[in-house]
Amino acid sequence: MRKILVTGALGQIGVELVPELRERHGADNVIASGWRRRDVGAVVDGGPFEIVDCTKPGDIAAVVETYEIGTIYHMPAFLSVLGEEKPEVAWALNLGGYANALEVARRHDCSVFFPSSIGAFGPGTPLQNTPQDTVQRPNTIYGVSKVAGELLGDYYHTRFGLDTRGLRLPGLISHVALPGGGTTDYAVHIFYEALREGRFTCFLRSDSRLDMMYMPDAVAAILDLMDADPSRLRHRNAFNVTAMSFTPEELAAEIRKHVPGFEIDYEVDPLKQAIADSWPDSMDDSAAREEWDWQPRYDLAAMTAEMIGTLRRKQGEGALGREHDITGA
Ligand code: AKB
């Protein structure tokens, strides 16, 4: 089999995607890469790891040639809030890095996965039941780079026949990596503070509704899409996928079922709030359901129960908060 390369493997998704790919395809067949080596056991020690700076096309090409790569999962990204602090870096990485990966993929006929986001929507997009095909005029550099990435992926497919596929992922919730630089990060940090302090100060308004997904569903969605029969795909870059949609107040109420007396208050950050207000409340993911049988497993109640259970166990072992911090991964 031609091997698999995961770029940005030390990021929020990569640290869970790589072990799952190695489980399915064998550790030696999955090459993890990041722009620097960090101590993330399963990703760095569990199989081949290479330093790849995606802004340098030669770095990607060298690994693709050395390992005879057939599929690239291209994961590096500056998230929405971090992107607003450093727009030029966000553009160079989020779009420039992807353009480099696509060019290498074209020369070596690799399939490519690209993670787009709810951030690819913006003012003018219908925010309720957001259609698969609709207005995309985001006002963040993150969103602009995601829309451009979607278009570039479709271009390489229609122009060169490259097998490119992508998802518009919502906010992702996980107990493996701590997120950094995103608008939806609150939905992860709230669990840690609930268990440590019994209270949490949220940077979004209590009624800010956003699409969310538990990481096991996100990893399953990525792998299912890449396994899907190409003759069924009318869309490629990128499919709306969602699993739940909640406000901070609703998440707090669900957490309270497991942590009685948990309190939440609000110190709204205007930049993050403006980004959240421009993103969908709930996406229509019927195209994903029809074209490759997308079906999430976790709703708000199931995700919350598993997050609290896992983090309580870690707390008991003195390991809570020692998770991999992906800021600058
Ligand atoms: C962010 O908040 O920037 C990301 C995303 C939804 O793409 N988590």
Side-chain angles (χ1 to χ4, degrees), residues 99-320:
N100 291 338
L102 282 171
E103 222 2 72
V104 174
R106 181 175 74 82
R107 290 202 304 273
H108 296 275
D109 193 25
C110 303
S111 306
V112 184
F113 173 80
F114 173 69
S116 187
S117 158
I118 50 173
F121 296 115
T125 300
L127 298 185
Q128 278 88 41
N129 211 23
T130 305
Q132 172 66 39
D133 301 307
T134 186
V135 176
Q136 291 185 264
R137 306 286 293 175
N139 54 8
T140 61
I141 193 69
Y142 178 67
V144 173
S145 65
K146 289 299 183 190
V147 175
E150 291 185 9
L151 292 173
L152 204 57
D154 274 346
Y155 170 76
Y156 270 78
H157 174 66
T158 50
R159 175 81 174 81
F160 303 115
L162 208 65
D163 185 3
T164 60
R165 307 180 187 195
L167 297 175
R168 292 186 189 127
L169 292 165
L172 298 179
I173 299 163
S174 148
H175 51 74
V176 176
L178 294 171
T183 306
T184 58
D185 292 4
Y186 91 85
V188 179
H189 293 304
I190 191 171
F191 285 97
Y192 289 81
E193 294 308 303
L195 291 179
R196 276 199 203 109
E197 310 290 344
R199 55 174 302 112
F200 177 69
T201 301
C202 185
F203 57 67
L204 294 184
R205 260 192 343 260
S206 61
D207 63 349
S208 295
R209 182 172 296 286
L210 289 168
D211 283 296
M212 299 277 177
M213 189 181 289
Y214 193 36
M215 191 62 86
D217 272 337
V219 170
I222 293 168
L223 298 178
D224 288 353
L225 173 62
M226 291 305 277
D227 282 348
D229 174 354
S231 68
R232 288 182 64 196
L233 301 182
R234 282 192 307 108
H235 297 87
R236 277 180 171 267
N237 299 282
F239 284 93
N240 287 0
V241 279
T242 187
M244 60 191 95
S245 161
F246 56 72
T247 66
E249 202 61 35
E250 289 167 356
L251 176 56
E254 194 61 39
I255 291 175
R256 215 168 278 128
K257 293 180 185 166
H258 304 267
V259 185
F262 171 63
E263 285 175 25
I264 185 164
D265 61 8
Y266 299 89
E267 271 175 29
V268 173
D269 177 314
L271 174 77
K272 295 174 186 170
Q273 187 63 58
I275 296 174
D277 287 344
S278 75
W279 287 358
D281 296 358
S282 60
M283 284 187 288
D284 170 9
D285 60 5
S286 52
R289 290 172 190 262
E290 280 158 24
E291 294 176 41
W292 48 277
D293 307 320
W294 158 242
Q295 185 68 59
R297 282 172 44 226
Y298 290 87
D299 61 11
L300 173 59
M303 176 277 290
T304 304
E306 199 168 296
M307 280 293 286
I308 296 278
T310 307
L311 294 181
R312 271 216 172 103
R313 209 163 42 249
K314 285 191 186 186
Q315 195 173 30
E317 295 160 359
L320 187 68

